[in-house]
Amino acid sequence: MNSGSLGIGLLGLGNVGSGVAQELIKNKELLSERAGINLELRKVLVRDIHKSRFVDVDSDLLTTNWTDVIDDPNVNLIVELIGGETPAKKYVQLALSKAKHVVTANKELIAKHGQELLALAEDTKVNLLFEGSVGGSIPIISALTRDLSANRIDTIRAIINGTSNFILTAMAEQNMDGARALQLAQSLGYAEANPHNDVEGIDASYKLAILATLAFQSKIDPSQVYTEGISTLEAKDFQYARELGYAIKLLAIAKCEMKEIQVRVHPALIPDNHMLAKVVGAFNAVELEGNLLERTLFHGLGAGQGPSTSAVLGDILEIGRRIATQSYPVKFIELEQSPKIIPMNELKTLYYFRLNISDRAGVLAQITKILGDLDISIASVIQKDSDPSTGTAEIVITTHISKEESVQRSLSLLEKLDTVTKVNNVIRIEEILA
Ligand code: HSE
């Protein structure tokens, strides 16, 4: 083993930080052996030194002052596990500008500022690695930047938020309501500090921006990702979806065709015989299509202490190896700076409508006229729940390929009909080969 040492400063001792600290302490020898250099945890930034913790870190290492970590001359690698943009960005910038290597699992930071931070790392000739930012234990960043880099990737379909997948699985399989399932996901350490980001698709939009940037070698900002969450889904949607042969997942989809890119996160019906339909609980999956690989699916736990710790430690070991072998940091890919992002209005896909209507003659004709006039062709209609006491019924319509803009216009027209008492939900259907 190389006789040198890699001094590690940890920012944050939360769920993932504790996992990383625990491994660096308990398995120091083994991990150092694998890195080819001694890994020494030298400083840990915490909010409260006296808080009781399950991980036994020497109290001399703990500090509440971030400069104690970043300015420590014996710390050469900063591991940022605070999350969010502020103050994480400042700490990472300072660390890189002081020529310290950085490992982070911060998807928001990398999605919004990755390019700038990687340029800074290049200037100071240090490594900035972020495997833990997407997909927990799934090695997707390394796959896109290294193993699959000979491909022209054209499609990403991914389930990249463990909390929302956990909630959707509980709703589909146990009829559990969303709020209870979220509580459970939180208690298992999957959810963000602000679970709104999980449930409303924001966390997945950061992760998709990172994946699409790497896959299409084009700078995709998270603000360019169309984002819808899972909070409008109801038990009935799962029942109808099942009957129609679909599962419902929060899908992150990115496609690149003739240099035109679409990036979107929203609930989607997917055929129940497709592998993505079988991704349950806090598992994540990323399906890629490319010219050489054809179709590849990565599957693994995308949230929780162990899986995220695995990714962060993988990056630490990689930096250790690069230092031990005196390799230069790997140059980051050049990105197309202003890719053409297709507006959501121009999307063409299949749709599922669930409507409450007056249960009387001619109502269906009114609805089909609105859809027909907008060139929305109906694939199937289900009418089940009639309520004689209110004279209403619920119908579910699925369509052939239609334009998003037409579907949105149809909704405003349907809502104006006094025979449509409520548009309960509209969900896009992702038709994919099993
Ligand atoms: N809250 C995230 C999730 C954690 O549920 O997937 C991992 O990024």
Side-chain angles (χ1 to χ4, degrees):
M1 195 196 305
N2 183 302
S3 55
S5 287
L6 178 58
I8 298 172
L10 186 55
L11 305 178
L13 199 55
N15 189 34
V16 183
S18 305
V20 171
Q22 174 160 278
E23 286 300 307
L24 286 173
I25 295 164
K26 277 198 174 162
N27 288 320
K28 181 176 181 302
E29 270 181 34
L30 177 75
L31 294 173
S32 297
E33 191 66 44
R34 289 185 183 170
I37 191 166
N38 284 315
L39 302 177
E40 303 277 355
L41 181 60
R42 295 221 162 110
K43 276 275 177 297
V44 182
L45 178 71
V46 291
R47 260 201 224 123
D48 174 3
I49 288 185
H50 305 292
K51 184 176 158 184
S52 68
R53 299 185 161 84
F54 87 90
V55 53
D56 193 15
V57 180
D58 184 343
S59 60
D60 289 350
L61 301 186
L62 302 182
T63 174
T64 54
N65 183 354
W66 58 271
T67 56
D68 289 347
V69 186
I70 294 176
D71 291 342
D72 184 331
N74 294 317
V75 166
N76 335 96
L77 165 63
I78 297 293
V79 180
E80 185 276 306
L81 296 172
I82 303 170
E85 223 176 336
T86 313
K89 184 181 176 202
K90 179 174 85 178
Y91 297 165
V92 168
Q93 270 176 325
L94 277 168
L96 293 172
S97 61
K98 288 172 188 286
K100 308 213 173 199
H101 305 278
V102 171
V103 169
T104 178
N106 188 331
K107 52 243 151 169
E108 182 174 359
L109 181 71
I110 295 298
K112 291 182 179 170
H113 308 290
Q115 196 186 20
E116 174 193 339
L117 296 171
L118 284 158
L120 183 53
E122 207 168 317
D123 283 350
T124 56
K125 299 190 172 50
V126 289
N127 297 277
L128 165 60
L129 298 185
F130 47 92
E131 186 62 68
S133 62
V134 183
S137 60
I138 301 174
I140 190 66
I141 304 294
S142 124
L144 286 172
T145 51
R146 210 190 80 107
D147 313 294
L148 305 176
S149 58
N151 283 267
R152 196 175 55 248
I153 307 280
D154 51 48
T155 303
I156 303 170
R157 288 189 197 88
I159 294 171
I160 38 179
N161 182 266
T163 302
S164 56
N165 202 49
F166 184 90
I167 293 172
L168 295 183
T169 306
M171 289 174 83
E173 292 180 358
Q174 297 166 45
N175 236 355
M176 195 183 281
D177 72 61
R180 168 95 189 94
L182 171 61
Q183 272 177 359
L184 254 178
Q186 284 175 306
S187 70
L188 293 166
Y190 302 147
E192 294 304 296
N194 177 0
H196 172 85
N197 282 5
D198 294 305
V199 174
E200 295 307 333
I202 298 160
D203 177 81
S205 75
Y206 295 147
K207 293 169 177 168
L208 184 64
I210 297 173
L211 295 184
T213 295
L214 299 177
F216 306 149
Q217 311 206 341
S218 299
K219 188 175 181 308
I220 315 281
D221 191 84
S223 62
Q224 295 172 306
V225 179
Y226 172 84
T227 305
E228 248 179 58
I230 60 170
S231 50
T232 60
L233 296 171
E234 292 176 348
K236 280 195 170 173
D237 294 313
F238 292 91
Q239 288 155 17
Y240 284 115
R242 206 172 298 126
E243 188 168 328
L244 289 160
Y246 293 107
I248 304 179
K249 294 291 177 190
L250 182 69
L251 273 199
I253 301 170
K255 296 184 185 176
C256 181
E257 205 183 334
M258 312 283 276
K259 297 205 163 172
E260 293 191 338
I261 293 175
Q262 48 165 287
V263 266
R264 49 195 167 100
V265 170
H266 54 72
L269 272 71
I270 51 173
D272 60 12
N273 59 354
H274 189 275
M275 290 210 276
L276 285 173
K278 306 189 191 314
V279 177
V280 294
F283 278 90
N284 280 197
V286 181
E287 184 189 67
L288 301 175
E289 290 176 8
N291 62 326
L292 303 173
L293 63 89
E294 296 186 13
R295 204 140 61 111
T296 297
L297 184 88
F298 296 79
H299 179 257
L301 274 172
Q305 189 179 64
S308 303
T309 296
S310 162
V312 170
L313 284 171
D315 281 348
I316 296 174
L317 265 57
E318 176 61 19
I319 291 178
R321 269 181 229 115
R322 288 182 192 176
I323 293 172
T325 55
Q326 295 178 336
S327 322
Y328 258 109
V330 176
K331 186 166 165 28
F332 202 67
I333 45 175
E334 292 294 332
L335 299 178
E336 160 71 51
Q337 289 301 308
S338 313
K340 184 166 187 312
I341 309 287
I342 303 176
M344 192 62 181
N345 261 348
E346 291 178 24
L347 175 71
K348 286 184 185 152
T349 190
L350 318 179
Y351 292 83
Y352 153 108
F353 291 67
R354 180 164 63 86
L355 313 171
N356 274 113
I357 57 167
S358 303
D359 194 10
R360 58 184 156 84
V363 176
L364 211 49
Q366 288 179 327
I367 294 170
T368 54
K369 170 139 187 20
I370 287 179
L371 298 182
D373 287 350
L374 286 162
D375 208 19
I376 300 170
S377 165
I378 294 175
S380 73
V381 179
I382 304 176
Q383 175 172 339
K384 276 210 163 140
D385 294 346
S386 303
D387 181 351
S389 66
T390 57
T392 61
E394 183 163 68
I395 59 166
V396 164
I397 297 173
T398 62
T399 74
H400 292 298
I401 289 199
S402 308
K403 257 187 104 170
E404 176 81 18
E405 189 176 13
S406 307
V407 168
Q408 295 305 332
R409 279 179 53 203
S410 77
L411 291 179
S412 54
L413 295 173
L414 289 171
E415 273 160 357
K416 281 189 196 126
L417 284 181
D418 52 11
T419 47
V420 172
T421 44
K422 190 163 178 229
V423 176
N424 290 313
N425 221 337
V426 176
I427 309 175
R428 299 173 190 89
I429 303 175
E430 181 74 3
E431 265 305 346
I432 28 180
L433 297 174

